[in-house]
Amino acid sequence: MNDELLKQKSDIELEKIKLDKLFSIIAALRLVVFIAAAIFILTGASKGNTPFLIVGIICAFIFIYLVKYHADIDDKLLTLKTKSNVIKRYVMRNSGEWKKFEDNGSEFLTKEDTLSYDLDILGRSSLFQLICVAHTDEGRKRLANTLSLKNLDIDAVSERYEAISELTQKADFMIDFESTSERIVERRKKDNERRMELSVNDEDKQESDKEEKKIDDTFPLIFYPLMILVPVMNIVAIVMVLGNGINPARILATFILGLVITWWPKAVQDKLIAPVYQYGNTAKDYHKMLKLLAEVKFDSKMLSEINERVASKDGLLKAIKDLGKIGVFNNFSFNPLIHMVLAGFTGWDYYIALAASRWSKKNKGVFEECIDIIGRIEELESIAVLGLVRETVKPVINCETSDLKLSMKSVYHPLLDPETVIANDAELDGDLTVITGSNMSGKTTFMRTVAINMVLGFIGSGVCAESFEVPYVKLFTSMRVMDDVSGGISTFYAEILRIKEMAEYVSSDPEIPALCLIDEIFKGTNSADRIVGSEKALKKLAAGNAMVIVTTHDFELCDLTTEDGKPVDNYHFEEQYENGALKFDYKMRNGRCTTRNAMAILKMAGLVQS
């Protein structure tokens, strides 16, 4: 896949070079035509030279055409830029450079969401950072909520897997869809630069959005005669100058009067044009994404329903397209000179306001529908990315079984380099499993590998394994436990609170069993208290409807039995020494660990003498 992507990127760069040259040529030509128009119009008006005036007006229209042509080239360059960016990110995912991506979903990570923190689901170097191809706020939020299991619908897991797998087979569609989505972000950046009044903080923008929803979108009756008056009086003035030899300065006077009439009610016009300011410049991209959806044939039930929602929704595509057209015409307003000419001669702002008013009355709620559809596709596409950059398999999720058994072959962590990651096999079915092993041998990584692949399985994704069969459980983790100085909570007490949450759930006789994953249990206290406390806590958890997996350096826990007398299942990771160096194979083995390496690591660090 990488070779094909790199070729596409190379072709795009060559096309960008050609368009850049044309862009520069048109920019220079536009300037020359503008200067010519200004000279001819000013000369003709001041000296009463009608031919000069006519040539100047012709040059002005040529200038307007060149502005539009220039904007079209800029639009094509933006398309090439965003597609190149998308392809570049896919290449970076395959090469392991994805940790440089700016978007990591950290704003969605809350203190209470310990699962996402422990398993690197959100935040720096996270699953979100690896797979996210969403650019709309709705799409990013949906993905974050899905990955952190906030919107979990286990009954739909098969339908979701079918849809996500189908998207994985449509890589070209995914690239085109994401490229268009990224265009929206780029356009908004440009809009914010061009309209300084939109450069407000988020709270102000939210208040502004609330106010916009309350705006009366009725076009005032008084505007109708005014929008007719401005072009009529200019036409009359031009005819009189050309036909009766009246001083051409009359045109300038009428033009200035037209500006006054057009811009007098600007505040009201801006309120009516608000939907165009908000969506008009990006409506073309929204329309393109919806059209892509409508034109692709999907086989999976979930994607077919979305496709039908777009294609059969009465007027949805047309409404978005119509707003895009209004946005194109409104873009002339961003050029002060062109805007002044159009406003003074035609009453331009009245016509934009009227078109926006009619659109708003006819199409209320259309963009909310559009954004919801696009957000859903962005979420599904992001999860589908994993199947493009990692070897995955369809998991078996047992939702109606009381048999708590984890069975997996060659399972590996999706965030580790696929070229060097070590896969493991595991058959875990005991109420309580204790994993021992040396420092840095792979105990914690193994637990995270199991858990993050279970998360992927629950949301309908493929998992990183050759085979993967697990029950549907509620996941609890206690791994990256941090103290809270401001709240007066120590690391030890923070861990107690996590395990207390597990115990309360397990003892409530839940319908959905729990999987409790605890790393280095009670490491924040002394060894005597740690062993006694661990024994009591683990027995309590294992007595309920739960499966408990714990890592520890305390070999005493290897002899633990559950309340019904069952011995714990023991597994371990170990190290080897080669030429005085510590080596790990990161493979899990049966039984308890019999070696230690803390002193060896201290010696390697130069802190302990041989």
Side-chain angles (χ1 to χ4, degrees), residues 4-36:
E4 182 182 340
L5 289 174
L6 289 170
K7 185 180 183 306
Q8 283 188 52
K9 192 171 186 305
S10 176
D11 292 342
I12 288 171
E13 293 304 320
L14 290 174
E15 191 173 350
K16 276 176 65 179
I17 291 171
K18 294 178 183 177
L19 280 178
D20 276 327
K21 290 179 180 178
L22 182 59
F23 187 83
S24 300
I25 292 170
I26 298 300
L29 184 59
R30 193 175 80 169
L31 178 61
V32 171
V33 172
F34 171 76
I35 293 171

Side-chain angles (χ1 to χ4, degrees), residues 142 303-314 316 368-370 372-373 376:
R142 275 181 175 273
L303 291 175
S304 295
E305 287 175 351
I306 296 175
N307 174 276
E308 185 179 349
R309 186 176 166 190
V310 175
S312 65
K313 187 72 175 179
D314 191 29
L316 178 61
E368 287 75 7
E369 174 87 356
C370 169
D372 181 69
I373 290 171
R376 287 195 66 191

Side-chain angles (χ1 to χ4, degrees), residues 81 185-199 334:
K81 174 186 174 184
V185 178
E186 294 295 328
R187 284 185 187 278
R188 283 180 178 164
K189 287 179 183 177
K190 287 187 176 183
D191 286 351
N192 289 340
E193 291 171 1
R194 292 189 295 187
R195 295 197 305 268
M196 294 302 294
E197 64 270 20
L198 291 186
S199 298
F334 293 129

Side-chain angles (χ1 to χ4, degrees), residues 20 87 179 265-266 502 505 517 568 606:
D20 276 327
I87 292 173
S179 301
K266 183 167 176 55
M502 300 177 191
Y505 179 84
L517 301 165
V568 302

Side-chain angles (χ1 to χ4, degrees), residues 391-396 405-413 421-428 446 449-450 453 462-470 587-588:
E391 292 292 332
T392 61
V393 69
K394 182 180 181 180
V396 177
K405 180 179 179 180
L406 311 181
S407 177
M408 55 204 74
K409 184 178 179 181
S410 297
V411 65
Y412 67 95
H413 201 295
V421 68
I422 303 299
N424 267 290
D425 299 341
E427 295 281 342
L428 307 177
F446 172 75
T449 298
V450 172
N453 277 290
V463 298
C464 298
E466 285 186 20
S467 66
F468 194 83
E469 183 173 357
V470 295
K587 284 289 188 180
M588 190 170 76

Side-chain angles (χ1 to χ4, degrees), residues 548-561:
V548 184
I549 303 176
V550 59
T551 68
T552 183
H553 286 288
D554 296 317
F555 292 165
E556 292 85 346
L557 298 182
C558 296
D559 298 320
L560 190 63
T561 57

Side-chain angles (χ1 to χ4, degrees), residues 561-574:
T561 57
T562 60
E563 288 190 350
D564 57 1
K566 291 181 182 177
V568 302
D569 290 339
N570 280 290
Y571 295 90
H572 74 280
F573 289 81
E574 61 185 38

Side-chain angles (χ1 to χ4, degrees), residues 228-272:
I228 295 171
L229 175 63
V230 174
V232 167
M233 69 182 190
N234 277 288
I235 291 171
V236 170
I238 292 171
V239 169
M240 289 175 66
V241 169
L242 295 177
N244 300 327
I246 295 175
N247 189 340
R250 176 68 64 86
I251 295 177
L252 182 60
T254 308
F255 167 74
I256 293 172
L257 179 59
L259 279 178
V260 173
I261 294 173
T262 301
W263 286 348
W264 158 64
K266 183 167 176 55
V268 178
Q269 292 169 351
D270 283 347
K271 288 180 180 178
L272 293 172

